[in-house]
Amino acid sequence: MTAELAHLAGISAEYYQRLEQGRAANPSAEVLDSLAAALRLNPVEIERLHALARPALRNRLRRTASRTAAHAPPPHRHLHPAPDTALPAL
């Protein structure tokens, strides 16, 4: 599959493997677009592929995700009323 996808994208199988393993720094937009076409990605998936392939943008996405998680509201907790208010006076 790797060789076939690389062939469809017009890149070498070795380069594709380096991309897949994260060992290729800064692939060109043309290479990414060729891979997107070979994989038949939709526009949202293409944008995500470009974002993941760009180190500066990838790091910014990670920071945004961690910042969002850090500022997320605490989970909703339902507090039960105290026993003396929950039970009617006998």
Short mmCIF file of all heavy atoms in Angstrom, two decimals, residues 3-4 6 11 13 17 22-24 26 28-30 36 38 40 48-49 51 57 60 64 70 75 78 87-89:
data_model
loop_
_atom_site.label_atom_id
_atom_site.label_comp_id
_atom_site.label_asym_id
_atom_site.label_seq_id
_atom_site.Cartn_x
_atom_site.Cartn_y
_atom_site.Cartn_z
N ALA A 3 3.89 1.76 -1.25
CA ALA A 3 4.46 2.01 -2.58
C ALA A 3 3.39 2.50 -3.54
O ALA A 3 3.63 3.41 -4.35
CB ALA A 3 5.13 0.76 -3.11
N GLU A 4 2.19 1.93 -3.46
CA GLU A 4 1.11 2.34 -4.35
C GLU A 4 0.69 3.78 -4.09
O GLU A 4 0.52 4.57 -5.01
CB GLU A 4 -0.08 1.41 -4.18
CG GLU A 4 -1.23 1.72 -5.11
CD GLU A 4 -2.42 0.79 -4.90
OE1 GLU A 4 -2.31 -0.18 -4.13
OE2 GLU A 4 -3.46 1.06 -5.52
N ALA A 6 2.49 6.13 -2.61
CA ALA A 6 3.60 7.00 -3.01
C ALA A 6 3.59 7.20 -4.52
O ALA A 6 3.76 8.33 -5.01
CB ALA A 6 4.92 6.39 -2.56
N ILE A 11 5.63 10.56 -5.45
CA ILE A 11 6.82 10.65 -4.59
C ILE A 11 7.38 9.25 -4.40
O ILE A 11 6.70 8.25 -4.67
CB ILE A 11 6.50 11.30 -3.21
CG1 ILE A 11 5.45 10.48 -2.45
CG2 ILE A 11 6.04 12.74 -3.39
CD1 ILE A 11 5.16 10.97 -1.05
N ALA A 13 8.65 5.88 -2.47
CA ALA A 13 8.15 5.12 -1.33
C ALA A 13 8.97 5.42 -0.08
O ALA A 13 8.43 5.50 1.03
CB ALA A 13 8.18 3.62 -1.63
N GLN A 17 7.54 6.96 3.38
CA GLN A 17 7.76 6.33 4.69
C GLN A 17 8.31 7.33 5.69
O GLN A 17 7.91 7.34 6.85
CB GLN A 17 8.73 5.14 4.56
CG GLN A 17 8.04 3.86 4.19
CD GLN A 17 8.99 2.68 4.29
OE1 GLN A 17 10.15 2.76 3.89
NE2 GLN A 17 8.50 1.59 4.83
N GLY A 22 7.22 10.68 10.43
CA GLY A 22 7.54 11.98 11.00
C GLY A 22 9.01 12.34 10.90
O GLY A 22 9.49 13.20 11.62
N ARG A 23 9.73 11.69 9.99
CA ARG A 23 11.16 11.95 9.86
C ARG A 23 11.48 12.90 8.72
O ARG A 23 12.62 13.27 8.52
CB ARG A 23 11.93 10.64 9.65
CG ARG A 23 11.86 9.71 10.85
CD ARG A 23 12.72 8.46 10.67
NE ARG A 23 12.26 7.62 9.57
CZ ARG A 23 13.01 7.27 8.53
NH1 ARG A 23 14.26 7.67 8.44
NH2 ARG A 23 12.52 6.49 7.58
N ALA A 24 10.49 13.36 7.98
CA ALA A 24 10.71 14.31 6.88
C ALA A 24 10.27 15.68 7.36
O ALA A 24 9.13 15.88 7.74
CB ALA A 24 9.92 13.89 5.65
N ASN A 26 9.22 19.48 7.06
CA ASN A 26 8.60 20.47 6.18
C ASN A 26 8.34 20.01 4.75
O ASN A 26 8.90 20.55 3.81
CB ASN A 26 9.45 21.75 6.16
CG ASN A 26 9.56 22.37 7.53
OD1 ASN A 26 8.59 22.39 8.27
ND2 ASN A 26 10.73 22.86 7.86
N SER A 28 6.61 19.98 1.21
CA SER A 28 6.04 21.10 0.47
C SER A 28 4.52 20.97 0.37
O SER A 28 3.96 19.88 0.51
CB SER A 28 6.64 21.16 -0.93
OG SER A 28 6.18 20.08 -1.71
N ALA A 29 3.89 22.10 0.09
CA ALA A 29 2.44 22.11 -0.10
C ALA A 29 2.07 21.23 -1.28
O ALA A 29 1.03 20.56 -1.26
CB ALA A 29 1.95 23.54 -0.30
N GLU A 30 2.92 21.20 -2.30
CA GLU A 30 2.64 20.38 -3.48
C GLU A 30 2.62 18.90 -3.12
O GLU A 30 1.77 18.14 -3.59
CB GLU A 30 3.68 20.65 -4.58
CG GLU A 30 3.58 22.04 -5.19
CD GLU A 30 4.24 23.12 -4.36
OE1 GLU A 30 5.02 22.80 -3.42
OE2 GLU A 30 3.96 24.30 -4.62
N ALA A 36 -2.95 14.29 -0.62
CA ALA A 36 -4.38 14.49 -0.37
C ALA A 36 -5.21 14.01 -1.55
O ALA A 36 -6.26 13.37 -1.36
CB ALA A 36 -4.66 15.96 -0.08
N ALA A 38 -4.27 11.70 -3.77
CA ALA A 38 -4.16 10.24 -3.83
C ALA A 38 -5.05 9.58 -2.78
O ALA A 38 -5.61 8.51 -3.03
CB ALA A 38 -2.70 9.83 -3.63
N ARG A 40 -7.77 10.97 -1.66
CA ARG A 40 -9.12 11.48 -1.89
C ARG A 40 -9.70 12.14 -0.64
O ARG A 40 -10.83 11.86 -0.21
CB ARG A 40 -10.04 10.38 -2.39
CG ARG A 40 -9.60 9.81 -3.71
CD ARG A 40 -10.53 8.74 -4.18
NE ARG A 40 -10.04 8.22 -5.47
CZ ARG A 40 -10.40 7.07 -5.96
NH1 ARG A 40 -11.23 6.30 -5.31
NH2 ARG A 40 -9.91 6.66 -7.12
N ARG A 48 -6.39 19.79 7.62
CA ARG A 48 -5.79 19.12 8.79
C ARG A 48 -4.45 18.50 8.43
O ARG A 48 -3.50 18.57 9.21
CB ARG A 48 -6.76 18.05 9.31
CG ARG A 48 -6.29 17.33 10.53
CD ARG A 48 -6.33 18.23 11.73
NE ARG A 48 -5.93 17.45 12.89
CZ ARG A 48 -5.40 17.97 13.97
NH1 ARG A 48 -5.24 19.27 14.07
NH2 ARG A 48 -5.07 17.21 14.97
N LEU A 49 -4.35 17.89 7.24
CA LEU A 49 -3.08 17.32 6.79
C LEU A 49 -2.01 18.40 6.72
O LEU A 49 -0.90 18.21 7.22
CB LEU A 49 -3.26 16.66 5.41
CG LEU A 49 -1.98 16.13 4.76
CD1 LEU A 49 -1.41 14.97 5.57
CD2 LEU A 49 -2.27 15.70 3.33
N ALA A 51 -1.96 21.23 8.35
CA ALA A 51 -1.68 21.69 9.71
C ALA A 51 -0.75 20.73 10.44
O ALA A 51 0.19 21.14 11.13
CB ALA A 51 -2.97 21.86 10.50
N LEU A 57 2.75 25.34 12.96
CA LEU A 57 1.30 25.26 13.11
C LEU A 57 0.91 24.09 13.99
O LEU A 57 0.03 24.20 14.83
CB LEU A 57 0.63 25.15 11.74
CG LEU A 57 -0.88 25.21 11.71
CD1 LEU A 57 -1.41 26.45 12.41
CD2 LEU A 57 -1.37 25.17 10.28
N ARG A 60 1.41 25.12 17.50
CA ARG A 60 0.37 26.05 17.89
C ARG A 60 -0.94 25.31 18.17
O ARG A 60 -1.64 25.60 19.13
CB ARG A 60 0.16 27.10 16.81
CG ARG A 60 -0.69 28.24 17.26
CD ARG A 60 -0.74 29.41 16.29
NE ARG A 60 0.18 29.30 15.21
CZ ARG A 60 -0.09 29.65 13.95
NH1 ARG A 60 -1.27 30.11 13.64
NH2 ARG A 60 0.82 29.54 13.00
N THR A 64 -2.90 25.28 21.73
CA THR A 64 -4.31 25.67 21.80
C THR A 64 -5.13 24.56 22.44
O THR A 64 -5.97 24.82 23.31
CB THR A 64 -4.85 25.99 20.40
OG1 THR A 64 -4.08 27.05 19.85
CG2 THR A 64 -6.31 26.40 20.46
N ALA A 70 -7.06 23.02 29.71
CA ALA A 70 -6.75 23.57 31.03
C ALA A 70 -7.83 24.53 31.52
O ALA A 70 -8.04 24.68 32.71
CB ALA A 70 -5.40 24.30 30.98
N PRO A 75 -16.21 19.30 35.65
CA PRO A 75 -17.39 18.49 35.34
C PRO A 75 -18.53 18.85 36.28
O PRO A 75 -18.32 19.19 37.43
CB PRO A 75 -16.92 17.05 35.55
CG PRO A 75 -15.63 17.13 36.26
CD PRO A 75 -15.09 18.51 36.08
N HIS A 78 -23.62 16.94 40.81
CA HIS A 78 -24.92 17.13 41.45
C HIS A 78 -24.73 16.95 42.95
O HIS A 78 -24.28 15.91 43.41
CB HIS A 78 -25.93 16.12 40.91
CG HIS A 78 -27.27 16.27 41.54
ND1 HIS A 78 -28.09 17.33 41.26
CD2 HIS A 78 -27.92 15.50 42.45
CE1 HIS A 78 -29.20 17.22 41.98
NE2 HIS A 78 -29.12 16.11 42.70
N LEU A 87 -35.35 14.99 54.28
CA LEU A 87 -36.43 14.25 54.92
C LEU A 87 -37.40 15.23 55.58
O LEU A 87 -36.99 16.12 56.29
CB LEU A 87 -35.90 13.29 55.98
CG LEU A 87 -34.95 12.21 55.44
CD1 LEU A 87 -34.37 11.43 56.61
CD2 LEU A 87 -35.70 11.26 54.51
N PRO A 88 -38.66 15.06 55.33
CA PRO A 88 -39.62 15.96 56.00
C PRO A 88 -39.63 15.68 57.51
O PRO A 88 -39.33 14.58 57.95
CB PRO A 88 -40.96 15.60 55.36
CG PRO A 88 -40.76 14.24 54.76
CD PRO A 88 -39.31 14.09 54.48
N ALA A 89 -39.94 16.69 58.24
CA ALA A 89 -40.01 16.54 59.71
C ALA A 89 -41.13 15.56 60.07
O ALA A 89 -42.23 15.62 59.56
CB ALA A 89 -40.27 17.88 60.38
#
